[in-house]
Amino acid sequence: MIFDWNVVWYAMPLLAHGVVMTLQVSIVAGVLGLAIGLVAGLASLSSFRLLRGVVRGYVDFIRGTPLLIQIFLVFFALPVVGVRLPEYWAGVVALAVNSGAYISEIVRGSVGSVEKGQAEAALSIGMTRSGVLWWVLLPQAWRPMVPPLTNDLITLTKNSSLLSAISVYELTRAGQAIIATHFAPFEIYLLLALYYYLLISVLSWASRRLERSLPQW
Amino acid sequence: MVIPPAILSARGVRKAYAGKVVLDGIDLDVQQGEAVTIIGASGSGKTTFLRCLNWLERPDAGTIRIDTQVMGRTGSVVATERVLAAQRRLFGFVFQRFNLFPHLTALQNVALGPRRVLGQGREAAEARAERELRRVQLGEHMHKRPSQLSGGQQQRVAIARALAMEPRVILFDEPTSALDPELVQEVLDTMRALASEGMTMLVVTHEMRFARHVADRVVFMADGTIAEQGTPEALFGAPADPRLQRFLRHLEPSA
């Protein structure tokens, strides 16, 4: 078998375009997912049972179904009930809703891991439950939250390759398009793997820096 | 002599966990300015009683009156969470393990209540906090975080945090039990000073010297009840309840 360097040279700038899209989708979905996860995580800590039940159901559903099916649900099934999203936004929404569920569990877990005496001390100076959460528990929960959060955002970036299934022109889809015209799956998939690997390495490095820069107490 | 109404009065306080009775109907009155010490073997319900007073634990039965308020009640109806939080503020609570907020400096720890509960501005709250920290001799450490302070200093910050809310009564839950022996005295000195300033205090402790020399009254708890109470002289000099006699005998070497 001959390794075709010409295809590689040809593909590299085209795939770079896909990298930009992958990053863009991941950042937008990550920010949205963070927002969803924070709200859902706080809701799961509230004293309203109904609210907790809704979040419970949402998290269960996301964890219990494949991401690819969730993407198809947003892209193919929602239009049936009148919600039609272009592929880009369908992809972003599916990824955000998916990671939001995991992030809400991270939020809930991190707040729950703050030592019990902290809440009691805050109650003892007359705080209400929401005051305790806001002024005492959340400020202490940020730090343990960051490593699993960055981990989740890295997973989200890798998962974005599934959006190729609904024709979002991100990195994987860009590679597939080249394969379809040049019949070079070996070169292109290797190249794709390398691109993802570099992308994730940069993200991992950045998240380690972030973790180290967190305040100590 | 007219006895003024108690600032704190507990009636018939009961608490059980999973069917095991921990508090079996406790009645206790504490007068304004009184320093009361609660002693007793571990498992006698002392800490649970303290935690039931400010409703950190909800009593199963009984009433707790602090000043003019009945804990957990507004008139004859169940209090809202907001009202309960305001009632809880009438108590200061000092924990065995300090429970300072580790992400905040000593000053911020003490100022948090005045700021976020009493709604004072930052400057007013911090001025207040500084005053309370100086009162417990920690003026020069106020910008340190708890992790930079010794156990004794941390416990004094915790006392300042309670004082900053101007409580009617301060509850101390074994405040020196988690301390290295050489750090116990500074906390006891702080408490003794508070007692002599007329602060109303209820102290669960194993420090018999404190019970003997600082307390106005000593309460001995056994099996979820108050078995005996009186002045330190009476209780330590002529204990009547056999359980108290046994308790004191076991303590003798250190007391």
Side-chain angles (χ1 to χ4, degrees), chain A residues 18 21-22 25 160-161 163-164 168-175 196:
Chain A
M21 192 58 149
T22 286
V25 167
S160 69
S161 75
L163 299 189
S164 60
V168 176
Y169 208 83
E170 43 63 71
L171 183 52
T172 303
R173 183 69 187 171
Y196 275 112

Side-chain angles (χ1 to χ4, degrees), chain A residues 19-87:
Chain A
V19 169
V20 172
M21 192 58 149
T22 286
L23 270 178
Q24 201 191 91
V25 167
S26 304
I27 290 169
V28 177
V31 170
L32 256 176
L34 265 177
I36 294 173
L38 263 178
V39 171
L42 291 181
S44 70
L45 291 164
S46 89
S47 43
F48 296 109
R49 261 173 99 150
L50 183 69
L51 208 53
R52 287 203 310 266
V54 169
V55 174
R56 190 76 261 146
Y58 158 55
V59 172
D60 269 356
F61 176 78
I62 295 297
R63 284 212 289 216
T65 54
L67 174 57
L68 188 58
I69 300 300
Q70 293 160 17
I71 293 167
F72 286 160
L73 275 175
V74 174
F75 188 62
F76 295 115
L78 280 189
V80 177
V81 293
V83 183
R84 190 176 303 275
L85 294 172
E87 57 264 36

Side-chain angles (χ1 to χ4, degrees), chain B residues 12-128:
Chain B
V13 176
R14 282 173 193 281
K15 181 78 187 174
Y17 294 103
K20 190 187 177 301
V21 176
V22 182
L23 297 179
D24 195 8
I26 305 252
D27 297 336
L28 184 70
D29 285 334
V30 178
Q31 303 297 322
Q32 171 95 49
E34 203 180 8
V36 177
T37 294
I38 304 179
I39 60 172
S42 51
S44 58
K46 310 175 300 263
T47 290
T48 304
F49 177 56
L50 219 57
R51 294 166 59 87
C52 278
L53 286 175
N54 75 341
W55 272 47
L56 274 182
E57 308 275 351
R58 220 160 264 235
D60 297 336
T63 55
I64 290 140
R65 199 177 48 70
I66 169 86
D67 212 351
T68 57
Q69 306 264 319
V70 176
M71 290 298 289
R73 304 242 126 213
T74 312
S76 59
V77 296
V78 177
T80 60
E81 209 227 323
R82 193 161 286 280
V83 170
L84 179 61
Q87 291 177 332
R88 205 177 261 132
R89 204 167 80 206
L90 300 172
F91 293 93
F93 201 101
V94 176
F95 297 85
Q96 184 177 353
R97 306 210 54 90
F98 332 135
N99 296 359
L100 291 181
F101 308 126
H103 60 300
L104 301 178
T105 63
L107 186 76
Q108 291 167 328
N109 261 277
V110 182
L112 188 69
R115 262 199 100 180
R116 302 301 176 194
V117 177
L118 302 180
Q120 294 177 0
R122 184 188 171 141
E123 271 179 31
E126 291 192 345
R128 174 86 227 228

